[in-house]
Amino acid sequence: MTTPRKPTRHAEVAGAGFAGLTVSIALARRGWSVRLHEQNDEVRDFGAGILLWRNAMLALEVIGVAEAIRDNGVRPQYYETNLDGVSVSAELLGYPYWAITRPKLHALLADAARAAGVEIVTGSRAVGADPAGVLIMEDGGGLEADLVIGADGAGSVVRNSLGDLAQERKKYSDGVCRVLIPRPEEFRGEQWDRVVDFWTLGPDAMRILFISTGPETIYLGMMAETSNERASRIPIDVEAWSERFPQLAPIVELAGKAEGGRHDSYQTTRVTPWSTGRAVLVGDSAHSMCPALGQGASVGIVNAVDLAHALDQYDDIGQALAEWERRERPMTDGAQSRSGYMAETRTLARGNGFTPELLETANFVSAAVSPELAALYPVPEANRSW
Ligand SMILES: Cc1cc2nc3c(=O)[nH]c(=O)nc-3n(C[C@H](O)[C@H](O)[C@H](O)COP(=O)(O)OP(=O)(O)OC[C@H]3O[C@@H](n4cnc5c(N)ncnc54)[C@H](O)[C@@H]3O)c2cc1C
């Protein structure tokens, strides 16, 4: 007996960032027709790097993109913490996570979206959504769909147009400059395929997160209190940073020459619920979080893939959205709370910060992931809470 095929359902998606691309691929691979609108004239991301944790890699396995990330990224051998010039810990040995440049990750997702049949429209800006299932565009037109998805980032206009969704925002004292630099000769070789988290806490907190993202590039996340104006500048203020991290002077010199970097302040936005009628939010539009845990995109990717899975499990869209939020929200709220706590207390500076409790987000396995897939990414015993 054959199961009857579901009629093709249609989604209009606003925002071709990591979340919008991921949900579009996941839906298209499950038979939806998907149109993805990006306000910019090009589909791309800026020059920095990103860590993709086990939770994200498993979700990316489901949509067939993980292999390309493993091929194009770097698996850090371990995560070292260095406080005031002294190495205080080496952890996450053997943990399955990858570093990659944001432009590369973005290009891999965009290629996968096109291959899955997603129609990507650039220079196309949404201004809101109607819960009846209409994406409202800047030119005043309305695009009808079975499901409208706001994946338009932390400043989401789709979210802001949906009055049924309550929002709670919190700002923090820290911010971070992100740049990609060419990998100098002295940092080449596998022994530098790791994360080094350099901290100094006095007179104010500053941090340089050093992550190899490929044979040619290093990603630097340079965190400081936003009240420290010189350390919050793009281009990087070489003098202000070298003074506090003299051992990294050559690296800071290169950061000063980097183009295309940016500065962001830490903030969290909680939205309740994530959907109304036939309109739903994924990614930062639903749950932007402090980067202290390095999980914002990873959680968005997990939720995007599980959304498509839930829509496959339940014919009724309202039921699918409710079930999806029921299973993803506790993990997502937990990630937001943990990252906020880490930003306020700077727990990572002391070393050995990746406790099994902290790794609960990274170890989360969504309903879309089969046990066979999960087994491909074993978690070292030291990093398990089970
Ligand atoms: C310093 C820092 C470090 C981070 N490090 C990590 C990390 O290591 N690992 C990790 O998992 N996460 C990390 N994150 C979080 C991660 O960057 C974000 O969670 C992620 O980029 C959000 O993706 P998104 O697709 O939801 O939103 P965005 O990346 O903001 O993408 C939104 C897209 O929508 C488009 N758009 C916006 N408005 C409209 C509109 N009205 N119409 C059409 N298009 C529109 C935008 O142009 C953009 O392309 C970090 C964040 C910061 C700030």
Side-chain angles (χ1 to χ4, degrees):
M1 206 175 89
T2 52
T3 24
R5 275 181 68 88
K6 286 181 190 165
T8 301
R9 295 192 281 181
H10 179 66
E12 295 281 348
V13 184
F18 300 136
L21 285 164
T22 302
V23 77
S24 299
I25 300 166
L27 286 173
R29 285 171 61 104
R30 289 176 187 269
W32 286 61
S33 78
V34 184
R35 182 157 47 187
L36 172 58
H37 303 267
E38 170 54 46
Q39 65 180 358
N40 292 323
D41 291 336
E42 271 179 85
V43 177
R44 61 175 157 72
D45 204 4
F46 72 102
I50 190 159
L51 288 174
L52 291 171
W53 296 85
R54 178 178 186 259
N55 54 340
M57 290 300 285
L58 288 174
L60 292 162
E61 285 282 357
V62 174
I63 61 164
V65 183
E67 187 181 351
I69 290 164
R70 291 197 306 270
D71 289 348
N72 286 277
V74 169
R75 183 173 180 176
Q77 293 176 8
Y78 57 93
Y79 188 113
E80 179 181 349
T81 303
N82 181 301
L83 179 60
D84 295 328
V86 179
S87 179
V88 291
S89 66
E91 51 185 332
L92 297 179
L93 278 84
Y95 192 83
Y97 69 131
W98 273 262
I100 190 165
T101 68
R102 292 179 72 109
K104 189 72 212 179
L105 173 62
H106 208 267
L108 292 174
L109 287 170
D111 287 350
R114 290 188 188 101
V118 174
E119 183 193 351
I120 303 179
V121 192
T122 54
S124 182
R125 185 175 150 73
V127 291
D130 183 323
V134 183
L135 185 64
I136 304 160
M137 306 307 293
E138 198 169 40
D139 65 7
L143 303 171
E144 286 181 23
D146 295 286
L147 189 63
V148 167
I149 303 178
D152 49 341
S156 173
V157 295
V158 171
R159 176 194 63 215
N160 295 347
S161 74
L162 295 166
D164 296 348
L165 311 185
Q167 299 183 38
E168 195 189 317
R169 212 161 269 127
K170 184 163 177 184
K171 296 203 163 162
Y172 299 81
S173 58
D174 293 343
V176 61
C177 298
R178 288 177 283 176
V179 291
L180 269 188
I181 60 167
R183 195 162 166 167
E185 206 51 54
E186 61 268 40
F187 293 104
R188 290 192 184 228
E190 278 184 10
Q191 72 277 21
W192 283 104
D193 282 350
R194 55 176 139 136
V195 179
V196 194
D197 197 357
F198 295 92
W199 287 85
T200 176
L201 296 174
D204 55 353
M206 285 173 74
R207 171 189 188 189
I208 298 182
L209 190 63
F210 167 110
I211 305 180
S212 302
T213 41
E216 304 299 334
T217 51
I218 288 174
Y219 159 47
L220 301 177
M222 305 172 78
M223 187 214 86
E225 296 176 32
T226 44
S227 55
N228 184 340
E229 270 176 48
R230 287 188 64 188
S232 306
R233 273 185 209 154
I234 290 279
I236 298 296
D237 184 325
V238 174
E239 196 183 71
W241 282 94
S242 310
E243 205 178 288
R244 299 289 295 279
F245 294 94
Q247 76 276 35
L248 296 178
I251 289 279
V252 172
E253 195 77 43
L254 290 170
K257 294 186 189 131
E259 286 174 12
R262 65 181 243 187
H263 178 268
D264 289 279
S265 302
Y266 283 21
Q267 62 166 319
T268 298
T269 305
R270 278 182 202 266
V271 182
T272 320
W274 290 334
S275 67
T276 171
R278 288 174 178 269
V280 62
L281 306 175
V282 294
D284 274 14
S285 60
H287 50 68
S288 73
M289 64 185 79
C290 288
L293 187 59
Q295 270 286 355
S298 297
V299 168
I301 287 168
V302 171
N303 289 350
V305 170
D306 193 53
L307 174 60
H309 181 62
L311 287 161
D312 229 16
Q313 288 178 303
Y314 300 89
D315 285 340
D316 180 74
I317 286 190
Q319 203 183 349
L321 295 176
E323 172 60 12
W324 166 70
E325 184 161 343
R326 189 192 63 72
R327 44 194 207 211
E328 300 300 312
R329 186 172 270 283
M331 174 277 291
T332 308
D333 286 353
Q336 287 188 298
S337 301
R338 267 181 215 123
S339 59
Y341 175 79
M342 289 164 76
E344 280 168 338
T345 57
R346 307 196 177 104
T347 48
L348 287 186
R350 294 192 294 271
N352 289 316
F354 288 95
T355 59
E357 195 261 331
L358 193 74
L359 286 166
E360 266 174 27
T361 313
N363 289 338
F364 178 80
V365 180
S366 85
V369 175
S370 67
E372 293 73 33
L373 268 187
L376 296 176
Y377 291 77
V379 178
E381 209 168 320
N383 304 129
R384 293 184 207 160
S385 54
W386 61 93

